[in-house]
Amino acid sequence: MSGPAAGGWHTARLLIRGWAPPDAPALKAAIDGSLAELQRWMAWAKQEPSDLPVIAERLARFQAEFAAGINWACGIFLRSSGEVLGGASLLSRVGPGALELGYWLRNECTGRGYATEASAALTRIGLAMQGIERIEIRCDPDNRPSFMVAERLGYRLLRTSLEPVPYSDGEVAPTMVWELRRGDAEAALAAWPPSALTTSSR
């Protein structure tokens, strides 16, 4: 599957680009500073905190997967300063013709629309990939900030059911599954025009 270029994209306020090993110190600081909240909602965060070399190795793997067109793990950066705000990913684990969109922000960066802005961008990027017809968002039913992103972007709630928990050994948990299909995207994302999504050289 072909995918986006690793250089990244600018939105009105953000730079969204693939992670790279030099980002490890800033990413560790962002995760460690918001660990309690991240562990409440994000299955991967239950394995944190990690040592810096472990995070750098993880980012090298993310970079390789990005280049190979397997998964697209990105950092969300403030365009004006380069500050790490959080992360977002397009993951190819939900079956053919679909990608799963995930996102998180540092505690002090929530409530400003950054997750919605980044998710709108990655929704457009994912649906522009060859062979991708729909994007899914999965979140805990109690995680209101997360499912509000899906609602704002016009995703449709497919179901709330027990679903496998990523990065766990067979655990299941109540999960909201949202979907946006290619044919519905233009109307759903009308407030997030593609003209605001520009390719970055960095």
Side-chain angles (χ1 to χ4, degrees), residues 174-198:
T175 304
M176 302 176 84
V177 181
W178 301 78
E179 175 190 80
L180 185 62
R181 303 192 70 87
R182 184 193 293 267
D184 301 323
E186 285 308 312
L189 300 175
W192 307 90
S195 60
L197 182 61
T198 59

Side-chain angles (χ1 to χ4, degrees), residues 118-181:
S119 296
L122 284 178
T123 297
R124 287 192 177 278
I125 290 161
L127 290 174
M129 293 186 199
Q130 185 176 1
I132 298 301
E133 295 297 327
R134 60 190 178 89
I135 307 291
E136 289 188 6
I137 292 174
R138 296 173 178 236
C139 62
D140 189 300
D142 291 330
N143 189 350
R144 180 176 174 80
S146 187
F147 74 68
M148 287 298 293
V149 170
E151 284 191 344
R152 288 188 200 102
L153 297 180
Y155 279 70
R156 180 171 65 95
L157 180 62
L158 294 180
R159 64 184 182 274
T160 301
S161 58
L162 290 177
E163 301 282 336
V165 176
Y167 318 106
S168 71
D169 187 16
E171 183 182 352
V172 296
T175 304
M176 302 176 84
V177 181
W178 301 78
E179 175 190 80
L180 185 62
R181 303 192 70 87

